[in-house]
Amino acid sequence: MANEKKRLGNILVNAGKITSYQLQDALKSQKILGKKLGEILVDSKIITEDEIIESIEQQTGIKKVDLNTISFDKKAISIIPQNLCNKYILIPFGFENNKIKVALADPLNIFAIDDVAISTGFEIESYISKKDDIRKFIEVYYSSQQVSMAAKQLAKESSQSKNTKNNVEDIDDVKNAPVVKMVDYLFKNSIEMKASDIHIEPFEHEIRIRYRIDGQLQTANVLGIDSLGPLVTRIKILAGLNIAEKRIPQDGRIMIKIGNQDIDLRVSILPVVNGEKIVIRILNTANYKVGKEKLGMSEENLAKLERIISNPHGIVLVTGPTGSGKSTTLYTVLSELNSNNVNIVTVEDPVEYTLMGINQVNVNTKAGLTFASGLRSILRQDPDIVMIGEIRDNETAEIATKAAITGHLVLSTLHTNDAPSSIVRLVDMGIKPYLVSTSVVGIMAQRLVRKICDKCKKSYEANEYEKEILGIDKDKPLTLYKGKGCGYCNNTGYVGRIGVYEVMEITRKHREAINSGENSDVLRDISVQNGMTTLGMECRNLVVKGVTTMNELATITLIKE
């Protein structure tokens, strides 16, 4: 190994990246610390990892590869075991001319290359890549593979123990039980993939595991149906549910720590034809720690939101479908309003993120603590600001309206398509129009649209139909963008999401229209005249700017504008 380290030092000296003195100094440190030479040079800020990669590529001809921009061949992944990948920090990604392509953090390590060649029986074609990228993709691809391997091991053990009685207590090391490993890898993989939900779906002969990533479901694993019983039982035990009850739906919660992240998992179990279907909502507390500037709002919308929440009393509504980021927006607004001179109380189902200085109440329907009963109690707690997780029924809506009229600022969510239709929804719930017009001060509708992946973004000329939808003259040239699909975006063409908002401030004209019983179209027209940009307008701007695609625009503009 010493020869290999000197070789890296010589490469960097020959490339003019470090001096001979710096090399000798680093080699002395290496003897004391026992670290790799490259790590010592990077930690000492003498050279960057990119400069080392560039020097090795120039001096040795070993090509560099950006793992974020390529498609991985799953066969290559299955050939090299994970322990070798972790030991030498390497990952296979494809085949060429009967050689297996391997990205290494240290391609000068001949022992690593020999070890992999002996293990696989293939000749190795070495590439160099960043250490963090290699580790990231080991987690992504091997944890998915480990779920399948644990399922096979479980099926094997089940068939061997059919004639013998086995209890969990009889297992010497429960942590090494295949079902425990399978669930652990399942959670780890979903978090690495930045999923918001895990769906475990039983069918006649197989179990399909899907993750919701950036709002879209993607299949992660297909397992044998034999794994269903132990898998459901394990998740029920973790969530504190009744393992013997299989006929009725059950809900529970699991708290886990992965790395430095505290992850809250909300478990929902539903009996279906072929067994029990499990959906696990992943609540990552880090996602709620955003300032209002990071919500992705335009300056005009941000100014409107500030004016709305600066009202001393009234109802402020955030509307949109499930998974549109309403909770994040509400928590951000609450953080802005939180100060020593106000009493803020919330009633939520469930409390997704605890905020310091805010009194949060968890709905418990079994014990009779509903939104309505919780809200009644809250109003006896001398609050200045009240947040209700959701206005679901007439009773909650009535109490919220009375609270707003009696001098409280009330924040809540509502499930409607856009901001103007929220007024109609409240009236439909049985609230008198004059009460709606005097209590509601502002409504914000929002959606999340997927952003085009920067690594595989490509341009194309818009056709006449696309120009017509975007409101662009058909004779004018227009360049639009879409993602081709690569390893970084899991071949979807999208990475991450951005908020699209329409903020409706209630003016005197709005109040007159509400009192006259006007429909949502009239309210929308008044809002647009008042300077409101609709969800469709906002998304069209993002398409023209190259942030998102025409397909994403189609998902939010169901209403003709």
Side-chain angles (χ1 to χ4, degrees):
M1 286 298 282
N3 291 334
E4 292 307 305
K5 290 184 177 76
K6 279 179 185 172
R7 193 177 155 201
L8 173 63
N10 293 336
I11 285 168
L12 296 174
V13 171
N14 292 339
K17 298 291 182 185
I18 61 170
T19 63
S20 298
Y21 174 77
Q22 285 172 324
L23 173 61
Q24 292 307 316
D25 208 32
L27 287 169
K28 283 176 191 172
S29 300
Q30 188 191 8
K31 283 177 183 174
I32 299 163
L33 299 170
K35 285 184 177 180
K36 290 195 171 186
L37 181 66
E39 280 178 31
I40 289 165
L41 292 168
V42 170
D43 291 345
S44 306
K45 294 188 169 53
I46 292 167
I47 193 169
T48 65
E49 189 180 6
D50 284 325
E51 287 174 317
I52 292 176
I53 290 171
E54 189 186 312
S55 302
I56 290 172
E57 186 180 29
Q58 286 174 355
Q59 300 277 319
T60 66
I62 296 169
K63 292 176 191 169
K64 69 177 175 186
V65 61
D66 184 352
L67 298 176
N68 293 307
T69 62
I70 60 165
S71 294
F72 281 76
D73 187 328
K74 298 279 176 75
K75 283 183 185 174
I77 297 283
S78 65
I79 283 170
I80 299 180
Q82 188 181 358
N83 64 335
L84 273 185
C85 294
N86 288 330
K87 184 180 177 183
Y88 296 119
I89 313 173
L90 58 87
I91 190 165
F93 61 90
F95 293 98
E96 194 174 305
N97 304 327
N98 213 30
K99 288 182 182 178
I100 190 165
K101 294 179 175 183
V102 179
L104 299 101
D106 179 11
L108 304 174
N109 186 345
I110 52 170
F111 300 117
I113 293 161
D114 287 348
D115 215 345
V116 172
I118 291 162
S119 170
T120 62
F122 280 93
E123 200 178 327
I124 306 302
E125 188 174 339
S126 300
Y127 290 79
I128 186 166
S129 192
K130 285 189 172 184
K131 188 185 289 182
D132 287 347
D133 284 348
I134 292 171
R135 283 191 171 135
K136 178 178 83 175
F137 285 105
I138 288 172
E139 287 292 342
V140 168
Y141 286 106
Y142 281 92
S143 53
S144 176
Q145 190 190 85
Q146 294 285 3
V147 172
S148 301
M149 285 169 66
K152 284 176 187 170
Q153 181 65 27
L154 183 65
K156 187 179 170 187
E157 285 192 9
S158 298
S159 63
Q160 285 173 353
S161 60
K162 269 182 184 172
N163 299 322
T164 59
K165 288 185 180 178
N166 254 342
N167 293 322
V168 175
E169 291 83 359
D170 296 334
I171 300 168
D172 291 332
D173 188 357
V174 174
K175 284 186 180 177
N176 291 325
V179 68
V180 176
K181 282 184 178 177
M182 182 163 64
V183 172
D184 287 350
Y185 285 128
L186 186 65
F187 292 161
K188 199 172 180 184
N189 188 33
S190 63
I191 285 148
E192 280 292 333
M193 300 284 278
K194 294 184 172 65
S196 62
D197 301 83
I198 305 168
H199 288 241
I200 301 167
E201 304 162 311
F203 297 101
E204 195 175 351
H205 302 297
E206 65 186 29
I207 307 163
R208 180 173 66 178
I209 296 174
R210 294 192 292 173
Y211 300 149
R212 190 175 292 282
I213 301 167
D214 291 337
Q216 300 290 313
L217 282 169
Q218 297 175 22
T219 301
N221 290 88
V222 176
L223 310 177
I225 196 68
D226 295 344
S227 305
L228 183 64
L231 180 60
V232 172
T233 302
R234 175 64 184 163
I235 290 170
K236 280 183 177 178
I237 289 167
L238 289 173
L241 301 176
N242 183 354
I243 61 171
E245 183 55 77
K246 298 180 181 181
R247 299 162 299 168
I248 59 169
Q250 294 188 69
D251 294 309
R253 180 182 183 187
I254 304 169
M255 292 295 293
I256 58 167
K257 197 173 184 78
I258 292 181
N260 296 320
Q261 293 178 297
D262 288 313
I263 310 292
D264 189 350
L265 305 173
R266 300 296 163 97
V267 179
S268 171
I269 297 179
L270 180 73
V272 292
V273 175
N274 296 298
E276 289 174 284
K277 179 182 189 286
I278 303 174
V279 175
I280 301 167
R281 166 64 59 92
I282 301 167
L283 301 175
N284 189 342
T285 54
N287 294 343
Y288 297 112
K289 295 175 186 175
V290 294
K292 65 179 187 298
E293 294 78 18
K294 291 185 182 176
L295 289 172
M297 281 189 181
S298 64
E299 285 183 22
E300 294 84 358
N301 281 342
L302 208 51
K304 283 180 193 172
L305 178 63
E306 283 182 347
R307 282 199 298 272
I308 289 167
I309 64 173
S310 63
N311 277 286
H313 51 79
I315 297 175
V316 179
L317 293 172
V318 181
T319 83
T322 304
S324 59
K326 297 189 298 298
S327 296
T328 303
T329 302
L330 274 180
Y331 280 127
T332 302
V333 170
L334 282 176
S335 299
E336 288 286 321
L337 296 169
N338 191 11
S339 65
N340 284 331
N341 59 348
V342 291
N343 175 24
I344 302 176
V345 191
T346 76
V347 53
E348 305 169 60
D349 183 19
V351 172
E352 294 181 22
Y353 175 57
T354 51
L355 289 162
M356 183 66 188
I358 292 176
N359 308 286
Q360 294 168 274
V361 177
N362 227 335
V363 163
N364 187 343
T365 46
K366 286 177 187 172
L369 178 54
T370 61
F371 278 122
S373 63
L375 188 49
R376 275 201 193 90
S377 300
I378 281 173
L379 294 174
R380 292 194 285 271
Q381 289 276 318
D382 183 31
D384 298 293
I385 298 164
V386 175
M387 194 270 267
I388 314 161
E390 186 187 338
I391 294 176
R392 292 179 182 173
D393 51 44
N394 167 264
E395 195 182 2
T396 311
E398 275 188 356
I399 302 164
T401 307
K402 285 172 186 170
I405 290 167
T406 53
H408 303 90
L409 184 64
V410 180
L411 308 175
S412 190
T413 68
L414 204 61
H415 287 277
T416 56
N417 285 330
D418 60 358
S421 59
S422 301
I423 298 290
V424 180
R425 177 85 180 101
L426 287 174
V427 173
D428 187 48
M429 278 182 172
I431 309 300
K432 297 279 189 289
Y434 75 89
L435 286 174
V436 174
S437 68
T438 51
S439 60
V440 178
V441 292
I443 303 168
M444 183 168 74
Q446 68 180 76
R447 295 287 190 281
L448 290 174
V449 293
R450 292 182 294 169
K451 294 194 290 183
I452 301 168
C453 172
D454 286 332
K455 308 283 184 184
C456 61
K457 190 174 184 176
K458 64 172 189 176
S459 62
Y460 69 96
E461 280 305 308
N463 59 37
E464 283 189 16
Y465 176 64
E466 288 170 328
K467 287 178 191 175
E468 185 188 338
I469 291 171
L470 294 169
I472 306 287
D473 189 340
K474 65 178 180 182
D475 297 323
K476 280 187 180 178
L478 176 65
T479 303
L480 297 178
Y481 298 85
K482 60 183 175 183
K484 189 179 169 187
C486 63
Y488 185 66
C489 62
N490 205 21
N491 292 314
T492 60
Y494 299 96
V495 170
R497 289 187 289 177
I498 187 169
V500 178
Y501 304 90
E502 68 179 30
V503 183
M504 184 171 114
E505 287 182 277
I506 303 298
T507 63
R508 183 179 292 177
K509 281 187 179 178
H510 284 97
R511 292 191 184 98
E512 287 169 1
I514 295 165
N515 288 332
S516 303
E518 299 289 359
N519 63 26
S520 59
D521 290 337
V522 173
L523 293 169
R524 187 183 299 106
D525 292 340
I526 294 169
S527 302
V528 170
Q529 286 163 20
N530 196 41
M532 181 183 88
T533 52
T534 65
L535 291 168
M537 291 174 190
E538 285 252 305
C539 196
R540 284 186 186 96
N541 290 337
L542 292 178
V543 172
V544 173
K545 285 177 184 174
V547 176
T548 191
T549 63
M550 291 297 296
N551 286 346
E552 287 297 287
L553 173 63
T555 64
I556 70 161
T557 52
L558 300 173
I559 302 165
K560 279 258 183 186
E561 292 175 353

